[in-house]
Amino acid sequence: MVARVMTDRYAVVGHPVAHSQSPFIHARFAEQTGQDMTYEALLAPLDDFAGTVRGFFGAGGRGVNVTVPFKLEAYELVDRVGGWAERAGAVNTIAVQADGTLLGENTDGIGLERDLTANLQVRIAERRLLVLGAGGAVRGILEPLLRSEPRELVIANRTVARAELLRDLFSDLGPVQACGLDALAGRDFDVILNGTSASLAGEIPPLPPGLFAPGAVAYDLFYAPRPTAFMRWSLEQGAARVFDGLGMLVEQAAESFFMWRGVRPETGPVIAALRAKLVGG
Ligand code: ATR
């Protein structure tokens, strides 16, 4: 019998997907850890995410990352979900198991938690956290944040009902509150995370002044070659340190890589390489 030796294939599936940095990140991880694998960008038609993914696995694919707008469909597609995905209601990583079934997990939240605590030395425990927005991006990060035991976590959103829905879904994990953006007037926080998609349009949500306590940190879940509008506004408002979500992107990728390959890549050099690539255009 002739043994088949095939390079394992992985991909990020999205629409659009050409802008994704995941192929760059996973190529660096594979190089660094000596893993024999390829990682490509796969554009799925908006109406055929499932067919695209099944086609890729049918042709020997071993796993995929899932990006906008398919994370909810990915949750429906898999046979089994891990704990983070269960809470997030969304899947960003699929791994083909030995028996051919599909396991879905969500590594966004743990990616954020690692970036904050391991890379940036931002303490969450006992701190007062404000999370802006109540969409899918925010839902994906609440569990690891709450498990880090903040003193309080306030979800503030333009549409209050969406913030309240998330509060109700996560209140068993810690002290979560929900409110509208106006209701923030007069309060201050140690860590403020922006999960609104306003960033994508170069805007910031309408926020009252005075939200940053002395020494406070601002973190935008989105990233860009230059400081985002939210980062600039936060500095003007007196934030002591401001960050974008590039480290979170690399950390969530590292967790996916670990799920697939059982090896943990070193993220620091890859964060630096990706930053240099973005800034260099
Ligand atoms: P995602 O899955 O990327 O989080 P989403 O589910 O569409 O996307 O959520 C986008 C979030 O950004 C929501 O919290 C949205 O507020 P609403 O729930 O009120 O729509 C918020 N958002 C988008 N643009 C905003 C803006 N200009 N000002 C304030 N909030 C904004």
Side-chain angles (χ1 to χ4, degrees):
M1 198 175 119
V2 180
R4 269 194 327 152
V5 180
M6 269 172 50
T7 301
D8 288 339
R9 287 176 69 198
Y10 297 86
V12 53
V13 186
H15 188 120
V17 79
H19 67 286
S20 173
Q21 302 296 339
S22 294
F24 176 85
I25 296 169
H26 284 280
R28 300 289 87 69
F29 287 166
E31 239 166 55
Q32 188 199 98
T33 58
Q35 295 287 305
D36 183 17
M37 59 183 275
T38 62
Y39 189 107
E40 62 210 83
L42 200 57
L43 180 71
L46 287 174
D47 62 357
D48 200 20
F49 168 74
T52 304
V53 170
R54 289 200 189 286
F56 181 70
F57 290 150
R62 305 298 307 153
V64 293
N65 282 130
V66 181
T67 187
V68 176
F70 299 125
K71 291 183 188 183
L72 301 180
E73 277 182 67
Y75 183 93
E76 299 301 328
L77 178 76
V78 295
D79 300 296
R80 200 160 57 81
V81 292
W84 294 320
E86 181 85 64
R87 279 276 179 179
V91 157
N92 80 337
T93 309
I94 301 176
V96 180
Q97 305 294 278
D99 63 359
T101 59
L102 303 182
L103 170 66
E105 186 51 288
N106 191 314
T107 63
D108 287 332
I110 193 69
L112 171 68
E113 202 256 346
R114 293 242 166 85
D115 194 38
L116 283 173
T117 56
N119 298 336
L120 306 173
Q121 272 79 50
V122 174
R123 203 173 128 224
I124 304 292
E126 292 303 316
R127 296 293 174 87
R128 295 165 304 157
L129 266 56
L130 170 61
V131 178
L132 301 167
V138 166
R139 185 168 169 177
I141 62 166
L142 290 175
E143 177 176 1
L145 288 177
L146 285 165
R147 291 201 190 280
S148 301
E149 305 194 327
R151 188 185 325 158
E152 64 178 19
L153 187 156
V154 176
I155 305 168
N157 196 43
R158 182 171 62 182
T159 310
V160 184
R162 294 184 81 192
E164 289 171 344
L165 188 75
L166 290 190
R167 175 198 61 199
D168 295 346
L169 279 171
F170 287 86
S171 57
D172 61 315
L173 293 179
V176 197
Q177 302 165 40
C179 67
L181 301 175
D182 299 345
L184 294 170
R187 304 187 67 170
D188 67 355
F189 299 90
D190 304 307
V191 182
I192 303 184
L193 298 119
N194 178 36
T196 69
S197 50
S199 261
L200 296 174
E203 294 165 10
I204 54 159
L207 295 165
L211 292 177
F212 291 92
V217 168
Y219 191 104
D220 201 333
L221 299 194
F222 299 90
Y223 66 90
R226 323 232 168 285
T228 65
F230 174 72
M231 290 163 73
R232 296 196 306 271
W233 177 83
S234 299
L235 279 175
E236 283 161 25
Q237 287 291 314
R241 295 194 291 155
V242 303
F243 304 106
D244 72 4
L246 189 132
M248 170 180 171
L249 176 75
V250 175
E251 292 295 342
Q252 64 78 29
E255 193 64 33
S256 299
F257 190 89
F258 179 68
M259 254 180 84
W260 295 325
R261 311 299 301 178
V263 181
R264 256 185 211 291
E266 215 188 306
T267 50
V270 180
I271 292 173
L274 182 57
R275 180 70 71 193
K277 173 177 183 264
L278 284 182
V279 171

